[in-house]
Amino acid sequence: MVPAASITLATHAFGNAILLYYMFSPLLEHDSIIMAHMDPSIIIETAIPLKNIAHFVALSCILSIFIIWGCQRAILTRNEIQEQSHKYLNSTNNTLLIGSATIFTQCSFILCGINYMKLPIHTFLSSLYVATNAVLPIILSAPSAGIIVSMQHDKSRVNYKSVVAYLFGPIEDDIKQSPQQNQQHNRNRHLVQRMHQCSTLGTLIGMCVCAIFRVLDHGMQIQRYPMPIIVGATAGRVCGVLLAVLMTVSS
């Protein structure tokens, strides 16, 4: 369980970072030459073209699903996949959970001093990118998906309180109280939860820190909206995953 979660989260985080670099690096280098004579404040106020943001978010979602499902299929056995198939949410619940996470992300933009009404579509796509990065590894990973799913009338439903508790709540110390045969399973479950918490917190912290840096009047291409949000969330997630893996190895 723990090696599978480590490989999945690391591959997912670095995959999105590589995609970000190769999609925006040529664009920013090209625009830096064209805008070299412009005032720094004007450069910062010039948003990244919406087409580029939309393409990146769409490719990131496809890449995330491919990586997470691919890692799960490569690491888990066929019997394990069949046994855990009931723990996954259906597409409707997945969409509702990602939508709720997107709204939460947009609310956090306000705390960063971002006027989300100025470029609403840019803001929505950026929020969707952050939300999918945080939520997809949970809902597509059977060990963690089983924790946030509740069964009602033989149908799976997302338990939003469980999602918040899983990502931001304290990790329950129930290892010693559990039977001997379940202690290793609970220990692994706690380690996986810590990985998801570190990666999610890294995503949010990186996003907020880089969003605040946008107020600096340096005229850097990376300061153009919504690059601070996307770059900050991606870099923060990579750092969070690395921290989680180091904590897991040392524990």
Side-chain angles (χ1 to χ4, degrees), residues 24-36 49 221 224:
F24 286 106
S25 180
L27 173 66
L28 298 183
E29 289 180 3
H30 175 265
D31 288 353
S32 65
I33 298 175
I34 298 177
M35 299 180 177
Q221 289 293 318
R224 294 169 60 190

Side-chain angles (χ1 to χ4, degrees), residues 39-79:
D39 186 84
S41 61
I42 298 178
I43 295 176
I44 296 174
E45 292 299 323
T46 304
I48 300 293
L50 184 60
K51 178 182 68 174
N52 297 82
I53 301 297
H55 287 170
F56 170 71
V57 174
L59 288 176
S60 175
C61 291
I62 296 173
L63 178 66
S64 298
I65 294 173
F66 177 79
I67 288 176
I68 297 169
W69 271 351
C71 288
Q72 292 291 308
R73 296 303 185 272
I75 296 171
L76 297 177
T77 64
R78 181 176 298 180
N79 290 335

Side-chain angles (χ1 to χ4, degrees), residues 139-203:
I139 60 180
L140 297 181
S141 177
S144 55
I147 298 174
I148 66 174
V149 172
S150 61
M151 300 300 295
Q152 296 180 1
H153 305 292
D154 296 329
K155 293 183 179 180
S156 60
R157 294 286 187 273
V158 59
N159 189 330
Y160 290 96
K161 290 184 178 180
S162 297
V163 175
V164 175
Y166 184 80
L167 290 178
F168 304 106
I171 300 177
E172 297 180 2
D173 188 12
D174 57 354
I175 296 178
K176 294 182 179 180
Q177 289 77 16
S178 58
Q180 184 68 31
Q181 61 271 21
N182 294 335
Q183 287 188 6
Q184 185 61 40
H185 173 77
N186 290 335
R187 184 178 292 107
N188 292 338
R189 179 168 56 84
H190 293 168
L191 291 175
V192 172
Q193 182 180 357
R194 181 188 298 170
M195 291 182 193
H196 285 293
Q197 287 187 345
C198 289
S199 58
T200 302
L201 289 175
T203 302

Side-chain angles (χ1 to χ4, degrees), residues 195-217:
M195 291 182 193
H196 285 293
Q197 287 187 345
C198 289
S199 58
T200 302
L201 289 175
T203 302
L204 296 177
I205 293 173
M207 176 193 71
C208 293
V209 170
C210 288
I212 295 174
F213 284 162
R214 185 174 180 268
V215 301
L216 300 177
D217 194 16

Side-chain angles (χ1 to χ4, degrees), residues 130-143:
V130 176
T132 52
N133 265 268
V135 172
L136 282 180
I138 300 174
I139 60 180
L140 297 181
S141 177

